[in-house]
Amino acid sequence: MHALLVEDDDRMAQALGTALAQRGHTVRRVGRALDALRHVHEADFVLLDMGLPDLDGLELLRRLRTVCDAPLIVVTARCEERDIVQGLRAGADDYVVKPFRMAELMARIDTVRRRTGTPSGRPGSDAAPARLGGPVRAGDVEVHLAGRTVTVAGTEVRLTRREFDVLAFLAARPEEVHSREAILDRIWGDAFLAASRSLDVHVAGIRSKTGRSGLVRTVRGFGYQLGPPTARCERGGPRDTGRGPQS
Ligand code: CA
């Protein structure tokens, strides 16, 4: 696998690069946020130091998350609980505080890659637990769990890895309402993120990309359920068929 190592400290970068290479990974090391953004597309996973010379690490993390879904582990000296929570909320898959044990970091990399369903890990991601047969249908939306594809009226819609994971989790048990904690625990690996907005952001992404605002139904104060996409969202709001003359 190809690692992007974002680390401005030469000695730390060398130690990490050697350990990664010993485990069969290829490594691109960059020391500046600008170069991280430039090269993140190549990466199968990212190790990110938060203390960089040209941009705050948290801001870089947010920007990386808007352009890249690759598993990302923060490796930093910032050890306050607030820093850790902010890092996880900003989209880090794991957070390791320096000084760390190298073997532990390597094990965490393996765990994150397995959890996020990176190729060469377990195919299909374990975010979709059940039912790997035919597609799950909700109106004209079909969710193909095994193939990890979504079609709307027969046309494929491209979701990010996490958006698909959320949708697949709901689609695997469409009759159930799923709590925020359960979804976060399953897909982010951390129910502690329950206050995070990142789940809502991903749900909003699913709705806008499919153009079916009712595909994911909000159960206020609790969580989400796969919804029939044409139902329940009409009260007070515009219909998404665009066919009814209002005059
Ligand atoms: Ca640093």
Side-chain angles (χ1 to χ4, degrees), residues 7-154:
E7 172 61 74
D8 62 327
D9 183 276
D10 289 339
R11 286 182 55 195
M12 178 61 74
Q14 191 167 16
L16 280 167
T18 301
L20 290 166
Q22 281 171 351
R23 296 184 68 89
H25 301 299
T26 56
V27 181
R28 178 187 291 277
R29 180 256 175 140
V30 298
R32 296 188 314 149
L34 199 64
D35 295 320
L37 286 161
R38 187 174 298 149
H39 292 291
V40 71
H41 299 282
E42 316 160 353
D44 295 312
F45 66 95
V46 180
L47 298 184
L48 175 63
D49 173 34
M50 297 295 259
L52 297 170
D54 58 335
L55 187 67
D56 176 66
L58 197 59
E59 179 57 28
L60 174 60
L61 174 52
R62 292 197 181 102
R63 291 193 196 178
L64 289 172
R65 269 296 169 247
T66 64
V67 295
C68 163
D69 272 336
L72 185 151
I73 300 178
V74 169
V75 183
T76 180
R78 297 183 189 176
C79 59
E80 297 294 320
E81 183 183 22
R82 185 163 171 272
D83 295 321
I84 297 172
V85 170
Q86 281 183 327
L88 292 169
R89 284 182 179 169
D93 293 290
D94 203 351
Y95 196 105
V96 176
V97 175
K98 296 172 182 173
F100 55 87
R101 285 181 287 258
M102 190 62 79
E104 180 188 339
L105 175 61
M106 295 300 136
R108 283 174 179 260
I109 291 170
D110 292 343
T111 301
V112 163
R113 282 177 37 217
R114 204 163 50 238
R115 198 167 75 205
T116 54
T118 308
S120 98
R122 194 181 306 154
S125 168
D126 56 7
R131 212 191 296 187
L132 290 172
V136 177
R137 291 190 178 83
D140 62 354
V141 179
E142 291 189 355
V143 183
H144 302 257
L145 299 178
R148 295 183 63 79
T149 57
V150 181
T151 60
V152 178

Side-chain angles (χ1 to χ4, degrees), residues 78-221:
R78 297 183 189 176
C79 59
E80 297 294 320
E81 183 183 22
R82 185 163 171 272
D83 295 321
I84 297 172
V85 170
Q86 281 183 327
L88 292 169
R89 284 182 179 169
D93 293 290
D94 203 351
Y95 196 105
V96 176
V97 175
K98 296 172 182 173
F100 55 87
R101 285 181 287 258
M102 190 62 79
E104 180 188 339
L105 175 61
M106 295 300 136
R108 283 174 179 260
I109 291 170
D110 292 343
T111 301
V112 163
R113 282 177 37 217
R114 204 163 50 238
R115 198 167 75 205
T116 54
T118 308
S120 98
R122 194 181 306 154
S125 168
D126 56 7
R131 212 191 296 187
L132 290 172
V136 177
R137 291 190 178 83
D140 62 354
V141 179
E142 291 189 355
V143 183
H144 302 257
L145 299 178
R148 295 183 63 79
T149 57
V150 181
T151 60
V152 178
T155 303
E156 186 172 346
V157 172
R158 293 191 66 81
L159 301 179
T160 67
R161 170 173 57 80
R162 277 204 169 144
E163 286 167 350
F164 184 84
D165 286 344
V166 171
L167 183 58
F169 184 77
L170 301 178
R173 294 190 195 85
E175 67 285 353
E176 292 177 25
V177 178
H178 301 274
S179 71
R180 296 177 61 82
E181 288 81 1
I183 299 168
L184 287 159
D185 188 43
R186 186 71 189 218
I187 294 165
W188 275 261
D190 192 351
F192 184 54
L193 294 173
S196 161
R197 305 319 293 172
S198 71
L199 175 55
D200 310 270
V201 170
H202 284 75
V203 167
I206 294 167
R207 287 170 175 157
S208 73
K209 287 177 183 176
T210 59
R212 298 292 181 270
S213 58
L215 178 60
V216 178
R217 190 169 74 87
T218 302
V219 179
R220 288 210 186 284

